[in-house]
Amino acid sequence: MEGLVQGSPNWCPSERYKRVMADSDNVRRRTQKFVQDAKLFGIQSFCRDLVEVADLLKQTTGNLQAEEDQRLAQIKDRLQGVFTKHGLMKMSPVGAKYDPYQHEIVCHTPAEGWEPGTVAVVKHDGYKLHGRTIRHAQVGIAVMTQEQD
C-alpha cells in the first residue's frame, strides 16, 4: 500500500479501481456464503427437536405387539426418509477412533476385542446436519484394564 500513494510513481487510478472491484467481489462472495449457510443450517434447531422424537420412537419399540411394532417401524422409516431428504444423518461411530468434535464420552469399557481409544458402545445416537455435528454421540470408549497389561 505504501507504493500506491497519489503522486508516487507506482500510483495508478486503474490499480485503485482493480482493488476496489476485488474488495467488492470478496464482500459479495462472503455474503453469498453467509446466505447459503443460513439456508442449509437454519433448520438446525428444528432438527435437534426432531432427533428427540426419533429417540422416543426408538425407546418405544421395546414392548409392542407385532402389528404395533410394524406400524412404528413404518413411522421410523418415514422419519429417517425426512432426515435424509434434509441432510440430517445419524452417526455410526462404533469401531471408529474417538473424536471430541463428534463424540461425548459417558463411560469406559474394557478393551476386549477393541483397540483402546475406539468407540465400543453408543449410549445415545449423534447426528450431523450437512456434515456439521448438531448432537454429539454419547459413547463408551474402550480402555486397557490392569489385567490386560
Side-chain angles (χ1 to χ4, degrees):
M1 285 302 250
E2 280 181 339
L4 295 179
V5 177
Q6 187 173 3
S8 72
N10 295 333
W11 185 81
C12 176
S14 65
E15 285 295 319
R16 191 170 184 190
Y17 174 76
K18 287 179 186 177
R19 286 181 184 264
V20 168
M21 290 305 294
D23 286 344
S24 176
D25 284 345
N26 287 338
V27 169
R28 182 183 46 78
R29 273 189 249 122
R30 279 195 303 264
T31 303
Q32 285 176 340
K33 174 74 170 130
F34 179 76
V35 169
Q36 188 178 29
D37 284 352
K39 286 179 183 177
L40 281 177
F41 300 110
I43 62 170
Q44 190 166 327
S45 175
F46 179 67
C47 287
R48 283 191 188 113
D49 293 340
L50 277 181
V51 164
E52 298 299 323
V53 172
D55 290 342
L56 289 172
L57 281 172
K58 185 176 179 180
Q59 293 171 1
T60 306
T61 58
N63 301 323
L64 298 176
Q65 296 175 355
E67 185 179 313
E68 293 172 329
D69 191 40
Q70 183 180 5
R71 278 189 267 154
L72 196 56
Q74 290 173 334
I75 293 170
K76 284 171 57 178
D77 289 344
R78 178 67 180 124
L79 186 60
Q80 189 58 48
V82 170
F83 284 178
T84 303
K85 177 181 175 184
H86 293 284
L88 185 63
M89 303 297 290
K90 185 189 302 188
M91 291 187 233
S92 302
V94 174
K97 281 286 191 193
Y98 167 72
D99 180 355
Y101 297 105
Q102 297 180 16
H103 311 130
E104 177 185 344
I105 299 174
V106 293
C107 67
H108 292 93
T109 62
E112 298 170 8
W114 298 101
E115 187 172 321
T118 59
V119 176
V121 178
V122 176
K123 299 287 185 176
H124 209 64
D125 293 323
Y127 287 85
K128 289 184 174 190
L129 177 62
H130 298 290
R132 180 186 289 178
T133 301
I134 64 166
R135 186 172 83 180
H136 291 76
Q138 294 180 348
V139 298
I141 301 297
V143 294
M144 293 293 286
T145 61
Q146 291 181 0
E147 297 89 46
Q148 292 173 330
D149 291 338

